[in-house]
Amino acid sequence: MAEPDARDKARTPRTKDASERLLDRELVDLPPELRWREWMLRVEAVIFAAAEPVGRETLARVVGKDCSIDLLIDDLQEELRDRPYEIVSVAGGWQHRTRSRFAVPIRASQASARSAAPALSDFEAMVLMAIAYFQPITRGDLSKIFGKEVSRDTIASLRNANFLASGPRSPTPGAPYTYVTTKHFLTAFGMQTLRDLPDIEALEDAGLLSRKGIQEDALDAAEGEEE
C-alpha cells in the first residue's frame, strides 16, 4: 500500500483538530451551574430531534467526558414533570413521548402524529404477540399455533411496519427463515428489552393468557376480518 505523501500527513491533524473544535464539550469557561444547564439543553435537543431512542454513547458526544448522563436525564425528567410530554427510557435509549393521559385529546384533534405507529388488524396483532413470545419462530410454526395458515402477506405487513426482521435459519428440513422482533417493536410498545414482556407462564398461571387462548383469539380475529 502506498505511503501517504507529505501533504496528506500535514492535512490530517488539521482536519482532526477542526472537527474537535466544532463543538466545545467541556465548556470549561462557564461556571458549573451554566455548564450543567447547557449540557441539559444539548441532551434534550438531541433526544427531541431523533427519530429513534437515543443511546448513552450518542449523548456522550455532546457533553463533557466526566458528565453523568443519568443525572442529566433525571434533571430533565424533573423539569418536564408538569409538561404534557416526558423523556422515557425505552429500547436501550431515551425518547420524547407524549404522556399517555393526553392520548384521547390528541386522537380527537385528528392531528397527524409525528411517529404514529401503523394500525394493525386484530389478527396481525395476535401474530406479532406470538412472535414476540416464541421468537425465533418460523411461519410454519406460527400456523401451527393458530391452527390456520399465517400468510406471507401478514408477515410482510408486520415487516413493512418495521416490527419484524429475519432471524436465523431454522435447523428443520428446508431451513426456513425464522422471524424476530426489532428494536422498533420495543420502541413502539415502550419496552427496554424483551425481558419487559409480561411473563407468559405467570399470565397462564393467572388465567390471563394461554397458548390455546392465543390460537382461539387469533381464529376469532381472522373470522372477523373475513366477514
Side-chain angles (χ1 to χ4, degrees):
M1 183 174 65
E3 290 289 332
D5 63 25
R7 287 174 298 177
D8 291 333
K9 291 180 179 178
R11 188 183 302 119
T12 301
R14 286 201 298 271
T15 302
K16 183 178 179 181
D17 290 345
S19 65
E20 288 177 348
R21 289 197 301 269
L22 186 62
L23 178 68
D24 179 5
R25 293 173 53 195
E26 301 299 334
L27 302 174
V28 294
D29 294 333
L30 292 180
E33 63 276 11
L34 293 181
R35 183 184 312 138
W36 187 259
R37 182 64 183 167
E38 175 64 18
W39 285 340
M40 285 177 60
L41 292 174
R42 289 180 180 183
V43 165
E44 184 176 9
V46 171
I47 295 173
F48 180 82
E52 297 289 340
V54 183
R56 186 183 306 275
E57 182 179 344
T58 300
L59 296 178
R61 297 175 189 147
V62 300
V63 299
K65 66 180 186 301
D66 295 324
C67 174
S68 169
I69 298 296
D70 292 310
L71 291 179
L72 275 180
I73 295 292
D74 286 346
D75 283 356
L76 282 170
Q77 289 173 331
E78 176 60 25
E79 188 168 279
L80 298 176
R81 187 164 55 87
D82 296 324
R83 305 300 296 168
Y85 46 84
E86 60 186 334
I87 291 176
V88 298
S89 178
V90 62
W94 289 276
Q95 188 175 48
H96 262 103
R97 289 279 182 93
T98 304
R99 296 185 187 276
S100 57
R101 72 185 185 90
F102 293 99
V104 172
I106 289 173
R107 284 196 295 268
S109 75
Q110 300 183 7
S112 176
R114 183 171 53 185
S115 58
L120 299 179
S121 70
D122 290 344
F123 185 65
E124 288 170 342
M126 294 301 299
V127 171
L128 181 59
M129 181 176 72
I131 294 172
Y133 275 108
F134 305 126
Q135 62 186 301
I137 187 170
T138 66
R139 190 167 64 90
D141 287 335
L142 286 168
S143 297
K144 291 176 184 177
I145 289 175
F146 294 125
K148 69 182 296 290
E149 182 183 12
V150 174
S151 71
R152 288 185 173 86
D153 288 344
T154 298
I155 297 297
S157 178
L158 294 173
R159 289 183 68 111
N160 290 339
N162 199 21
F163 288 140
L164 295 187
S166 295
R169 292 274 194 169
S170 171
T172 57
Y177 280 109
T178 63
Y179 298 99
V180 296
T181 53
T182 61
K183 183 177 179 180
H184 179 70
F185 166 80
L186 296 176
T187 302
F189 291 93
M191 293 182 284
Q192 275 281 23
T193 71
L194 291 172
R195 290 191 296 272
D196 294 330
L197 281 168
D199 183 83
I200 192 168
E201 292 184 358
L203 293 176
E204 286 181 325
D205 291 343
L208 299 175
L209 178 69
S210 70
R211 290 165 176 79
K212 182 179 178 182
I214 290 176
Q215 177 179 334
E216 292 172 347
D217 289 346
L219 287 173
D220 289 343
E223 290 171 359
E225 290 183 353
E226 293 169 357
E227 291 178 356

